[in-house]
Amino acid sequence: MVTAETAVVLPVLLLVLAASIWVLAAVAGQLRCVDAARLGARSAARGDTSADVIATARSTAPAGATVAVLRSGDQVTVTVSGVVRPFGALLGRLPGTPVAATATALVEDPP
């Protein structure tokens, strides 16, 4: 009797595990976008070129993420967006989760 109950519950447990891994991948990707946007905004606030800002943000962003830099007066805004897929070969076939983050900073005065 216990074997039959385990056989019925096991697929449900595997589905819950797969969903948990998917959620963890999405949260990790969102946090990487936030960190990348903050690093890019700090870099732009220091006066780095747009190419350097994008390179700095991409170094932390999820793979394949896009980085946009917008300078407006004394403010700079960096937006990082991308699609995060779950870990593993089997779960990687599932649809991706879009993630994005924006950070704004004031441009620092030159010394």
Side-chain angles (χ1 to χ4, degrees), residues 17-93:
L17 177 64
S20 299
I21 291 172
W22 193 357
V23 168
L24 286 175
V27 169
Q30 178 66 34
L31 291 175
R32 290 184 70 188
C33 281
V34 169
D35 289 342
R38 287 181 184 170
L39 284 174
R42 267 190 233 131
S43 176
R46 286 191 307 259
D48 292 349
T49 65
S50 291
D52 290 338
V53 171
I54 291 171
T56 300
R58 280 198 179 144
S59 68
T60 307
T66 59
V67 179
V69 180
L70 175 66
R71 296 177 192 268
S72 174
D74 61 346
Q75 289 186 347
V76 64
T77 302
V78 177
T79 303
V80 178
S81 59
V83 176
V84 177
R85 302 210 178 277
F87 308 117
L90 181 63
L91 296 179
R93 295 179 187 160

